[in-house]
Amino acid sequence: MLAVEARNISKTFISRERSSFYRGRKKVVEALKNVSFEISSGEVFGLLGPNGAGKTTMIKILSTLLLPDSGEAYVNGYDVVREPEKVRESIGVSLYSDRGFYWKLSGRENLLYFASLYHLEPGWAKDRVDELLSLLGLEEDADRLVEEYSTGMKSKLNIARALLHDPPVLFLDEPTIGLDPNSARKIREIILELKKKGKTVLLTTHNMFEADVLSDRVAIINKGKILAVGSPSDLKRRISSKSILEIELIGVKDNGAFETLRGLDGVVSMAHQWLDPSAGRVDLKVILDEKGSLREVLEHLLRTDNKMLSVKSIEPTLEDVFVYYTGERLESQA
Ligand SMILES: Nc1ncnc2c1ncn2[C@@H]1O[C@H](COP(=O)(O)OP(=O)(O)OP(=O)(O)O)[C@@H](O)[C@H]1O
């Protein structure tokens, strides 16, 4: 059975820029362009893409918080536009941008308050809150004020709130962003625990490791378009006949030092990331097909006046799949 179905969803935002120079200039952003995908019941599905790719917009549409301009979407079989109440009963949502807790209440009091908003029967709600505090590992901090919570604790509380009414489908927007490695690992364990309980999870992330370890299937999204969908191993297999080089350079003045590589025979895609702009340190990924030559790439780079710190031939990761399809890195560039 399909838990989520999106068919040709498009969404454009029109806003006014507020810069003093271009006061009121109209800005049009096509956040989603004909996006389609399906998620089976019980699946963990990752939407992987960089900042601004359209991931949160997609989650907001599926959560009935935003209306699509065109296209159709169904959650748990219900139409997000025509049956929003039924959709809301079926989902738990944890949006990165909106934690919205009451800081002067404890974690437990917050959950009990939100349970009352969901009209959960008070006796049942108390047990449910205890169960969720334990699932999320928040028992010890349950009676502290939320204003004293760390970012990780607030993220866990956010997921607990999404689970209060025991919905079959969960939408988690960047569930581990800004967390220390331990808290991030804990959240990932919780997501896998939820999968074991039969929940369907749609998570958005710009972290390829997270998408890889958690998702049954991943959709790679960039600039409002889905570029590829498949299991992490499927996606990596699509580029397994290519050679992926990771080259670290120092003393690079500008992109011109490596951009000309694109013209070399056999270079199918490449993307860079500035590691330390003041020292000109750049991490460069180059994807070659069978016509490409490592020697030619290195000779080309040595002709410029930067230094090569390391060259590695690596196994494909989801980030390389992203580079292959977009010619960009997933992480932000300087
Ligand atoms: N309410 C809005 N008004 C105008 N533009 C918007 C609005 N919401 C989103 N956008 C724009 O739509 C695009 C997609 O944004 P969205 O938040 O969906 O991306 P994202 O993939 O979730 O990235 P991030 O992780 O940075 O939130 C961006 O260019 C964003 O600036």
Side-chain angles (χ1 to χ4, degrees):
M1 188 200 144
L2 288 182
V4 177
E5 196 180 351
R7 281 199 225 137
N8 295 315
I9 293 285
S10 293
K11 179 78 190 175
T12 298
F13 292 108
I14 299 173
S15 53
R16 298 258 162 207
E17 278 180 352
R18 270 184 251 254
S19 135
S20 51
F21 292 103
Y22 303 105
R23 217 180 166 79
R25 198 168 75 166
K26 204 161 93 175
K27 193 173 168 217
V28 178
V29 177
E30 280 184 271
L32 294 172
K33 302 171 195 164
N34 278 314
V35 169
S36 300
F37 59 87
E38 292 175 350
I39 309 177
S40 300
S41 191
E43 212 179 6
V44 176
F45 188 88
L47 261 186
L48 174 69
N51 288 340
K55 307 179 297 292
T56 307
T57 304
M58 192 66 231
I59 284 209
K60 284 186 176 168
I61 288 174
L62 293 174
S63 314
T64 77
L65 295 170
L66 265 182
L67 286 172
D69 296 337
S70 56
E72 291 164 44
Y74 301 88
V75 176
N76 212 15
Y78 301 115
D79 186 316
V80 296
V81 177
R82 277 176 283 154
E83 298 163 291
E85 302 279 317
K86 291 278 181 201
V87 170
R88 277 178 228 142
E89 282 167 20
S90 311
I91 60 172
V93 187
S94 156
L95 279 178
Y96 168 64
S97 55
D98 169 34
R99 296 219 163 92
F101 290 114
Y102 291 90
W103 290 55
K104 294 289 176 196
L105 296 180
S106 68
R108 185 192 307 279
E109 286 165 341
N110 264 284
L111 290 182
L112 286 169
Y113 169 72
F114 285 104
S116 72
L117 290 188
Y118 283 130
H119 304 298
L120 299 188
E121 190 272 310
W124 191 82
K126 194 177 160 302
D127 291 346
R128 179 71 181 152
V129 166
D130 284 343
E131 190 187 333
L132 290 173
L133 288 168
S134 147
L135 176 74
L136 277 295
L138 279 173
E139 303 107 312
E140 280 184 19
D141 301 300
D143 298 309
R144 288 174 62 190
L145 297 187
V146 164
E147 68 182 358
E148 293 170 19
Y149 273 27
S150 67
T151 314
M153 285 151 69
K154 276 182 251 164
S155 295
K156 288 178 188 167
L157 196 64
N158 208 11
I159 296 182
R161 179 175 55 185
L163 289 167
L164 274 171
H165 55 306
D166 201 17
V169 181
L170 283 163
F171 298 143
L172 307 179
D173 189 23
E174 298 276 6
T176 64
I177 199 165
L179 300 190
D180 63 83
N182 274 338
S183 305
R185 187 166 18 141
K186 181 71 198 160
I187 299 270
R188 287 198 282 270
E189 282 167 14
I190 290 163
I191 294 171
L192 292 175
E193 200 57 38
L194 293 170
K195 177 182 160 63
K196 274 197 210 141
K197 289 181 192 287
K199 305 284 181 203
T200 304
V201 180
L202 166 60
L203 67 97
T204 72
T205 181
H206 63 273
N207 176 327
M208 59 109 184
F209 168 74
E210 182 160 295
D212 200 341
V213 295
L214 291 179
S215 317
D216 296 305
R217 285 186 310 131
V218 171
I220 293 185
I221 182 166
N222 192 36
K223 297 181 180 147
K225 270 195 172 161
I226 296 221
L227 305 173
V229 186
S231 70
S233 50
D234 260 359
L235 292 173
K236 287 183 264 183
R237 213 172 300 125
R238 288 187 204 176
I239 58 166
S240 61
S241 64
K242 314 278 183 286
S243 307
I244 299 152
L245 303 176
E246 190 165 12
I247 303 169
E248 198 176 326
L249 302 165
I250 194 158
V252 178
K253 294 197 185 70
D254 55 45
N255 296 3
F258 44 79
E259 274 300 329
T260 48
L261 279 178
R262 286 190 197 277
L264 288 189
D265 207 22
V267 172
V268 285
S269 189
M270 55 174 273
H272 70 280
Q273 184 177 14
W274 288 91
L275 301 174
D276 177 358
S278 58
R281 249 182 81 212
V282 172
D283 185 54
L284 187 64
K285 281 208 173 169
V286 182
I287 304 183
L288 302 176
D289 66 12
E290 41 297 319
K291 284 186 272 148
S293 143
L294 167 64
R295 192 192 164 116
E296 235 183 291
V297 169
L298 298 186
E299 279 177 0
H300 195 86
L301 288 172
L302 286 170
R303 275 200 290 275
T304 54
D305 53 4
N306 48 58
K307 273 200 206 136
M308 218 174 282
L309 291 179
S310 66
V311 180
K312 284 184 271 181
S313 172
I314 55 171
E315 287 297 310
T317 62
L318 286 183
E319 143 118 323
D320 302 319
V321 179
F322 186 82
V323 170
Y324 176 71
Y325 281 108
T326 64
E328 290 169 26
R329 298 290 288 253
L330 258 174
E331 301 299 325
S332 56
Q333 295 174 21

